[in-house]
Amino acid sequence: MFSPLAFGLQMGLTTALPMPAALIALDHHPQFELDRYTRQIEQDGGWWLEMENRLLVVAPPSRLPDLLAGERVVADLGWIRPDDLALQTRACGVDEGPALPSIADTGRFALVRTPATLLPYKAPDVSEWRPVVPNRVLTKDLRARGLLAMAKGAPDPEVQLRVDAIDTQRWFDTLSTLASYDRSSYGSGIDQARDWLIGEFSALGLQVSTQTFTIGGTATQVENVIARRTGSLYPDEWVIVGGHYDSRQQSINDPNQSPGAEDNASGCAGVVEAARVFSQFPPQRTMVFVCFAGEEQGLYGGSAYAQSLEAGGDLAKVDLAVIMDMIGYSGDADLDVLLETSSSLSGVFPAFAAAAATYAPELRVLTDTIACCSDHMPFINRGVPSLLTIENDYSPSMPFGYQHYHRTTDVPANLTRAQEMGGGILKMNIAVLADAGGFETPVLRDGFE
Ligand SMILES: [Zn+2]
């Protein structure tokens, strides 16, 4: 009989010991090969971490050479234990510590040597640090693992119609309009941006409301803008599309302009573009388009909205919440997008992988299940199927990363490949939303079944 206690002891005893470690390149490992390889590492008494196209391999000295035979080793890390390593979140709006030299950059995290200030190792109760747990996928590159090719299907003509209705120039113009307002929570332009959004959603015939809340610890009041279209067939099943419209400087009290073109005029403009598409093609389920405020100080807008759904008994109606935060920049030709939710909600990934493979094949899709730092969190924390979509060059500490993050220079002109990157993410998201929102098939429309 399986004994969890004995198993746990065995795992704990072996993986807690220092062992030699190496970082290898995963360029040519399809998923089935990688599964076989990581199983072998565990059988040999070692442990591993998967980070995009890098695999950390830690194993007893007698086993490591065999495990590394034929692999491309990119770094020899010496002897390590899990506690010697930590994950540092990158470009988190809440608490940005100085970036440490990273062993591997992956998704929302950098794998670093545990800083002395954290020793003896404890994951403090802040979002910046996470412990390393052995045998975990931190970020998976679906394309490199062959999983996008497997997810690709035949385009559905009805979904294709909605995808084709995306106008990336119109989205970029919206982004530029939003970026022309200083949308810092303490700035003068956030109210103007709010009013502009209200006007835009109203012109689409949506029911528009605002939700006022206070940014924690201050007297500052800001407002979410909420636009809804009631579903034609299933009004009590909701799909939420959201992204924050507030912006900030690196120092939260910096009085300089915060144009926030990438963070997050890009995502908020994506919400507006989705509203335009689904006004042309009304869905069967209720769609709610929300531009959140107060994100940068600690997700206050997303939390206020999720709380109001809970209080109103509406939370269980939400089938899916899709959040866009930083979707309009790519530092290189690689159009990589990161999908992020918690491991317990990772059932949302296949629909997005299939949508990307089928309707936006230009995207390299990465998934990660250690969620933090954007408006998906209040939904994740309440168990609502939800995820964040974010381009994967957003962090200034990454190769090709966005150097204008939280600076006065986060302006539309600095968004290289904006329409390719944002357009790809919008195609993927609109395809998923088309399915989630529901539509009549032409066959049904004609009455033949
Ligand atoms: Zn943001």
Side-chain angles (χ1 to χ4, degrees):
M1 196 187 133
F2 175 75
S3 159
L5 180 62
F7 182 71
L9 280 173
Q10 186 201 337
M11 289 303 289
L13 282 175
T14 54
T15 59
L17 294 172
M19 287 187 271
L23 195 66
I24 66 166
L26 281 183
D27 313 326
H28 306 297
H29 294 69
Q31 186 59 44
F32 70 92
E33 254 183 55
L34 183 58
D35 286 341
R36 196 162 57 205
Y37 188 57
T38 53
R39 259 197 318 271
Q40 187 63 52
I41 295 169
E42 291 177 43
Q43 278 166 17
D44 286 354
W47 58 278
W48 55 272
L49 286 181
E50 181 181 344
M51 298 160 290
E52 204 169 324
N53 288 311
R54 294 286 179 268
L55 189 77
L56 176 71
V57 184
V58 188
S62 59
R63 296 299 310 136
L64 192 64
D66 274 359
L67 286 167
L68 297 182
E71 302 301 336
R72 184 158 72 85
V73 176
V74 292
D76 177 347
L77 300 174
W79 290 57
I80 59 169
R81 296 166 308 151
D83 281 3
D84 296 331
L85 301 174
L87 299 170
Q88 184 181 27
T89 58
R90 295 184 300 188
C92 178
V94 183
D95 37 39
E96 295 163 42
L100 296 176
S102 81
I103 296 165
D105 283 316
T106 175
R108 299 269 269 172
F109 296 92
L111 180 69
V112 300
R113 303 265 176 193
T114 307
T117 49
L118 280 191
L119 291 171
Y121 188 85
K122 51 184 183 298
D125 189 22
V126 294
S127 56
E128 189 179 353
W129 297 101
R130 304 295 163 94
V132 159
V133 178
N135 306 330
R136 243 196 112 151
V137 179
L138 297 179
T139 318
K140 186 171 286 296
D141 183 333
L142 300 189
R143 186 161 78 188
R145 301 286 80 76
L147 298 171
L148 281 185
M150 287 172 67
K152 193 176 170 70
D156 180 312
E158 286 294 310
V159 174
Q160 191 70 58
L161 274 177
R162 288 149 179 86
V163 169
D164 290 345
I166 298 164
D167 183 335
T168 56
Q169 183 61 51
R170 181 174 63 182
W171 161 77
F172 191 76
D173 292 344
T174 303
L175 179 164
S176 303
T177 300
L178 288 166
S180 71
Y181 302 113
D182 178 10
R183 306 183 319 283
S184 148
S185 298
Y186 314 113
S188 54
I190 190 157
D191 290 351
Q192 293 163 280
R194 173 203 60 202
D195 292 344
W196 187 85
L197 286 167
I198 291 171
E200 204 64 17
F201 285 131
S202 302
L204 293 170
L206 303 173
Q207 305 156 247
V208 185
S209 60
T210 58
Q211 179 185 20
T212 307
F213 57 93
T214 306
I215 291 176
T218 75
T220 304
Q221 286 197 329
V222 285
E223 287 172 299
N224 290 333
V225 180
I226 303 159
R228 71 190 254 125
R229 169 174 293 282
T230 302
S232 56
L233 202 56
Y234 309 109
D236 285 337
E237 297 178 23
W238 296 9
V239 179
I240 294 171
V241 191
H244 71 92
Y245 72 99
D246 60 313
S247 61
R248 69 175 274 184
Q249 288 290 309
Q250 213 156 27
S251 162
I252 208 85
N253 297 317
D254 190 327
N256 284 313
Q257 284 271 326
S258 303
E262 168 69 340
D263 187 12
N264 183 34
S266 67
C268 178
V271 175
V272 174
E273 187 61 24
R276 291 176 183 137
V277 168
F278 290 103
S279 294
Q280 256 177 282
F281 298 96
Q284 294 176 318
R285 295 188 176 79
T286 294
M287 266 195 198
V288 190
F289 306 93
V290 196
C291 290
F292 300 108
E295 191 266 358
E296 297 288 6
Q297 284 76 33
L299 317 178
Y300 289 103
S303 297
Y305 180 65
Q307 268 165 28
S308 71
L309 293 182
E310 206 164 29
D314 292 327
L315 203 61
K317 295 177 184 169
V318 183
D319 288 341
L320 177 68
V322 180
I323 304 298
M324 292 181 260
D325 194 354
M326 305 176 81
I327 65 166
Y329 169 81
S330 181
D332 57 3
D334 177 30
L335 299 174
D336 45 343
V337 59
L338 182 66
L339 312 182
E340 180 181 283
T341 190
S342 66
S343 25
S344 60
L345 295 172
S346 57
V348 300
F349 286 148
F352 286 83
T358 308
Y359 302 98
E362 68 271 31
L363 293 179
R364 180 166 71 96
V365 181
L366 309 167
T367 57
D368 118 55
T369 53
I370 309 181
C372 84
C373 318
S374 190
D375 293 310
H376 54 325
M377 297 309 293
F379 297 98
I380 287 176
N381 292 338
R382 289 167 176 79
V384 176
S386 51
L387 93 171
L388 170 69
T389 55
I390 181 170
E391 54 84 3
N392 195 45
D393 295 343
Y394 65 88
S395 167
S397 65
M398 282 189 237
F400 313 109
Y402 190 57
Q403 298 306 312
H404 309 284
Y405 175 68
H406 288 177
R407 293 182 187 278
T408 50
T409 51
D410 183 5
V411 294
N414 283 327
L415 299 180
T416 48
R417 297 181 186 270
Q419 292 193 41
E420 290 166 80
M421 188 74 243
I425 294 176
L426 279 170
K427 282 191 265 178
M428 171 183 69
N429 288 350
I430 293 292
V432 171
L433 291 167
D435 264 328
F439 48 82
E440 287 181 48
T441 64
V443 162
L444 286 172
R445 238 179 251 160
D446 292 341
F448 290 112
E449 170 48 355

